[in-house]
């Protein structure tokens, strides 16, 4: 595993970094971290530039780079892109999900309403594909929405949706659960040890 990317994800997204520790296979974990590192790069763009137009230009650059990755022309010299390139091919990740994610981040820069499906469902489906292959996209839709609702402060809606999400997760292979376990976290500000315990408990039960 690229330790720099692992450290970057831990700093940027402690919840999913903690959930990734549940992945036993080191190669699969490294591939998951590559995906999360890419998302961390997108999320950080508005904090690195002072003007919305500059942010949009950077998002456009990432979209162009992804186009090259999906066309089999990976860019050399960028650790995130180099790590993500083989994952895209092996896990049969969907380009439209990445495009939608970038558009949703541009929408955030423009102060448009959050596109929860683009920001959370697509990325969770990609993570599941990395861990368990294709065929499980539908099973994780509501779990991803639960996560998005929690992070956007709509915890009551998340609580109401959780039973439906858990019913859908019954068909999910255990190997894929680390990709969705993060949806079991109900308080983004909870201390790390408590988050670890909740993630482990969710993994044992197979429920969020």
């Amino acid at each position: 595993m690229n330790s720099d990317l692992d450290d970057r994800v831990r700093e940027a997204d402690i919840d999913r970094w903690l959930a990734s520790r549940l992945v036993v296979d080191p190669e699969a974990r490294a591939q998951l971290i590559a995906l999360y590192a890419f998302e961390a790069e997108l999320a950080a763009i508005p904090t690195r530039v002072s003007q919305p137009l500059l942010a949009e230009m950077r998002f456009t650059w990432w979209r162009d780079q992804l186009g090259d990755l999906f066309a089999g022309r990976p860019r050399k010299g960028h650790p995130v892109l180099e790590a993500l390139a083989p994952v895209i091919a092996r896990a049969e990740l969907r380009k439209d999900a990445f495009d939608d994610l970038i558009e949703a981040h541009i929408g955030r820069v423009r102060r448009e309403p959050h596109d929860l499906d683009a920001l959370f469902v697509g990325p969770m489906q990609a993570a599941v594909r990395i861990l368990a292959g294709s065929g499980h996209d539908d099973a994780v839709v509501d779990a991803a929405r639960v996560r998005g609702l929690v992070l956007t402060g709509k915890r009551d809606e998340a609580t109401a949706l959780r039973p439906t999400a858990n019913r859908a997760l019954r068909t999910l292979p255990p190997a894929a659960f680390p990709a969705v376990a993060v949806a079991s976290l109900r308080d983004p500000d909870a201390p790390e040890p408590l988050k670890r315990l909740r993630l482990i408990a969710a993994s044992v039960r197979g429920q969020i």
Side-chain angles (χ1 to χ4, degrees):
M1 178 184 293
N2 185 318
S3 60
D4 289 340
L5 295 189
D6 196 62
D7 291 343
R8 191 177 305 180
V9 172
R10 180 170 187 173
E11 180 179 355
D13 190 344
I14 186 61
D15 291 356
R16 286 199 294 179
W17 183 87
L18 288 171
S20 74
R21 304 305 98 176
L22 300 173
V23 180
V24 176
D25 178 43
E27 182 177 354
R29 185 191 298 173
Q31 293 170 349
L32 198 61
I33 288 296
L35 174 68
Y36 293 164
F38 163 74
E39 291 186 63
E41 288 290 327
L42 296 185
I45 286 174
T47 69
R48 294 174 178 170
V49 297
S50 58
Q51 299 295 327
L53 181 58
L54 294 177
E56 290 192 34
M57 290 173 64
R58 293 201 179 188
F59 284 124
T60 299
W61 182 88
W62 278 100
R63 182 192 290 118
D64 292 343
Q65 297 304 314
L66 281 172
D68 286 341
L69 290 190
F70 277 92
R73 301 188 300 271
R75 182 177 183 271
K76 300 298 183 181
H78 194 293
V80 173
L81 292 171
E82 287 186 355
L84 189 61
V87 180
I88 285 174
R90 190 200 68 81
E92 299 180 351
L93 301 185
R94 295 167 34 231
K95 183 176 183 296
D96 63 304
F98 284 86
D99 290 339
D100 290 346
L101 176 62
I102 290 175
E103 282 300 317
H105 276 290
I106 292 174
R108 291 182 65 203
V109 170
R110 294 172 178 171
R111 301 188 181 279
E112 296 172 357
H114 289 83
D115 183 341
L116 294 186
D117 281 7
L119 290 168
F120 299 99
V121 175
M124 188 175 285
Q125 289 173 332
V128 165
R129 284 181 175 231
I130 289 171
L131 297 182
S134 60
H136 310 290
D137 285 359
D138 292 343
V140 304
V141 169
D142 286 327
R145 288 173 179 165
V146 166
R147 177 63 175 167
L149 290 168
V150 168
L151 291 183
T152 53
K154 301 176 181 178
R155 297 188 192 180
D156 290 343
E157 293 181 42
T159 298
L161 184 58
R162 194 167 268 112
T164 302
N166 280 325
R167 285 193 293 271
L169 290 176
R170 292 173 185 168
T171 66
L172 194 68
F177 199 79
V180 303
V182 69
S184 69
L185 300 178
R186 305 183 184 209
D187 180 3
D189 300 320
E192 184 176 320
L194 182 59
K195 288 182 176 182
R196 287 180 182 271
L197 289 174
R198 186 173 288 278
L199 288 167
I200 292 170
S203 182
V204 170
R205 296 195 314 267
Q207 295 184 340
I208 61 166

